[in-house]
Amino acid sequence: MNLILLAVPFFFLLIAIELVADRVRGVSTYRLADSLNSLSAGVLSQTSGLLSKAIAVLGYAFAYEHLHLTALPDEPWVWVLAFVFYDFCYYWNHRIGHERNIFWASHVVHHQSEDYNLSTALRQTSTGFLLSWIFYLPMAVAGVPPLVFVTVAALNLLYQFWVHTRHVPKLGWYEWFFVTPSNHRVHHAQNPVYMDRNYGGVFILWDRLFGTFQEELDEQPVVFGVTTPLRSWNPLWANLQFYVQLWCDAVRAGSWWDRLRIWFMPTGWRPADVAARYPLDKPDLASFRKFEVPLARGPKVYAALQFSAYVLGVSWLLAVAAQHGLGVLAGAWLWVAFGLYCIGAWLENRPFARGLELLRLALNLPALLWAQQVGLVAGGMLVWWLLAAWSLASLSWLLWPRQAQTQPA
């Protein structure tokens, strides 16, 4: 059972409720482009997970089979123990994800949003599978069965959804034991007093125990985001940005030792010669401004509607993925990744965005034909009529004469 897939409707329902709360309280915690970028990263992460979860789950099952010291029974106490054990491992995975360059390259995606709302919770990495499995090997050694591991991992992730909101204040005694919206807002801050704090997924006790806890302070309003801004609405670039920076710094370094160790040094460390010749643009907190690209309401609505089609498509893909091999899933990933890239370019108001949209709409036709041939989508004409109607409506909007849109910022 895919708990994340089952939770998707509730995610969007709660986002809608949060938008209503925004309206009632007269605040604005959402910007359409930022939210679509976060949701696009989440959609890409789930699609990428279809290719990587098999590796992660099989890897854990292999470790369990060959390394476990005992076989824990399928009893309620084992599930409770595994839930707590997982969060302990998650704490260290999360902490190292902030403290070392190669791990931050994956995790940074979740922190790039300069807003903080429930859509931020869905902003997940597509490359976490590369190294995060290391931190959960102790569970396999301890004999936690693979099914229990997969289930508690999903429950841990589901818990973390609700803490990504600005509408819930401090919760009294609950703050001492569990991760809450208040202490997780701290975690997403770029204020120096808050940075690299509050790593727990469910339990904040680990942070209190290991000295990484920081309370949210009334005199220090949280400024969300990262110190080196992404400045893009492209989910592919969001996943690659820090890897590219590390690679460029490694290539430019004069010392071979620096080229090797940069990947494992504390986050933000750069070779001295590279830092001097290629300084990074890190805005001062006092002069910080959120990334924004001026775009009229119509193009924003168009992007949101096009994105909704990918949400439906990926939801269907997640539901039927178990019936298909990696080759088919890789093809589906390409369709999703290209579409999300196009939507990102549209939101950035790139000069080539309209032409890219025409290409994307045209490629949906052979993509559907392929999907029917491999069995991802049922045969018949109904789906073709639906695609034709959607494409015609999209083309009509794209080609309808209008005044020139605002140029990219």
Side-chain angles (χ1 to χ4, degrees):
M1 181 184 298
N2 189 331
L3 295 178
I4 303 300
L5 178 60
L6 293 176
V8 167
F10 297 98
F11 290 158
F12 284 97
L13 174 61
L14 291 171
I15 287 173
I17 292 173
E18 188 175 42
L19 286 167
V20 172
D22 273 15
R23 178 64 62 90
V24 170
R25 300 183 64 185
V27 298
S28 179
T29 62
Y30 281 83
R31 291 177 298 150
L32 181 65
D34 184 272
S35 297
L36 285 182
N37 187 232
S38 292
L39 294 173
S40 293
V43 168
L44 185 66
S45 175
Q46 285 297 306
T47 312
S48 301
L50 296 177
L51 304 176
S52 62
K53 280 181 182 176
I55 299 173
V57 173
L58 289 176
Y60 182 90
F62 181 85
Y64 171 80
E65 181 68 25
H66 295 278
L67 299 176
H68 72 272
L69 300 178
T70 184
L72 295 176
D74 187 10
E75 298 288 346
W77 69 267
V78 172
W79 286 81
V80 173
L81 173 66
F83 186 78
V84 176
F85 196 176
Y86 181 91
D87 199 64
F88 177 76
C89 295
Y90 175 87
Y91 169 86
W92 288 105
N93 177 24
H94 199 180
R95 179 170 176 173
I96 300 301
H98 280 253
E99 294 182 349
R100 295 291 157 175
N101 273 331
I102 188 61
F103 293 94
W104 177 243
S106 169
H107 184 60
V108 66
V109 178
H110 184 59
H111 285 266
Q112 290 162 340
S113 175
E114 294 166 352
D115 294 326
Y116 191 76
N117 51 56
L118 292 177
S119 74
T120 311
L122 302 179
R123 186 185 184 96
Q124 298 293 327
T125 178
S126 293
T127 62
F129 72 95
L130 293 172
L131 295 171
S132 63
W133 57 271
I134 297 171
F135 296 90
Y136 301 102
L137 287 179
M139 297 185 69
V141 173
V144 176
L147 176 61
V148 177
F149 169 77
V150 171
T151 305
V152 298
L155 292 174
N156 188 283
L157 186 62
L158 289 173
Y159 176 90
Q160 294 181 50
F161 178 76
W162 80 281
V163 302
H164 292 82
T165 182
R166 298 173 66 181
H167 287 288
V168 177
K170 291 182 180 179
L171 298 176
W173 66 267
Y174 195 82
E175 299 278 339
W176 280 89
F177 305 99
F178 298 97
V179 174
T180 67
S182 176
N183 58 49
H184 200 65
R185 286 191 289 267
V186 165
H187 179 69
H188 276 259
Q190 56 173 305
N191 313 54
V193 68
Y194 293 144
M195 285 180 63
D196 300 331
R197 293 290 184 268
N198 300 0
Y199 296 114
V202 173
F203 302 105
I204 202 67
L205 290 170
W206 313 125
D207 292 282
R208 295 184 181 277
L209 180 62
F210 296 113
T212 53
F213 176 76
Q214 173 60 52
E215 183 182 8
E216 185 178 23
L217 305 172
D218 293 336
E219 64 273 18
Q220 285 280 348
V222 173
V223 179
F224 300 104
V226 290
T227 57
T228 304
L230 175 64
R231 293 197 178 99
S232 172
W233 301 133
N234 188 323
L236 297 178
W237 178 239
N239 278 277
L240 295 175
Q241 181 202 33
F242 200 73
Y243 287 109
V244 172
Q245 179 191 312
L246 288 176
W247 175 260
C248 291
D249 283 354
V251 169
R252 292 164 174 167
S255 163
W256 276 100
W257 174 234
D258 284 347
R259 294 179 184 180
L260 293 174
R261 67 175 177 153
I262 185 174
W263 303 92
F264 306 100
M265 291 296 285
T267 303
W269 183 91
R270 306 177 73 206
D273 57 337
V274 175
R277 287 183 291 138
Y278 304 96
L280 295 177
D281 181 16
K282 292 193 173 187
D284 183 79
L285 202 61
S287 61
F288 173 77
R289 296 292 182 273
K290 292 181 180 181
F291 175 71
E292 192 68 84
V293 177
L295 202 62
R297 182 187 297 258
K300 288 183 178 180
V301 172
Y302 175 85
L305 291 174
Q306 296 300 324
F307 174 74
S308 67
Y310 285 89
V311 172
L312 294 175
V314 170
S315 296
W316 174 258
L317 181 62
L318 293 174
V320 302
Q323 305 168 25
H324 299 280
L326 287 178
V328 171
L329 298 178
W333 183 91
L334 289 173
W335 174 76
V336 172
F338 178 68
L340 296 178
Y341 167 78
C342 294
I343 292 172
W346 180 268
L347 290 170
E348 291 175 7
N349 206 11
R350 299 293 184 182
F352 55 83
R354 194 172 296 273
L356 198 61
E357 270 299 288
L358 293 172
L359 175 62
R360 182 183 69 85
L361 293 172
L363 289 177
N364 280 340
L365 300 175
L368 177 56
L369 179 62
W370 170 81
Q372 287 189 329
Q373 289 178 339
V374 299
L376 269 177
V377 177
M381 292 302 298
L382 176 60
V383 67
W384 283 100
W385 282 111
L386 291 173
L387 177 61
W390 181 257
S391 300
L392 183 60
S394 301
L395 283 171
S396 299
W397 195 94
L398 284 172
L399 301 177
W400 193 266
R402 57 174 49 83
Q403 293 180 344
Q405 299 296 330
T406 307
Q407 294 301 306

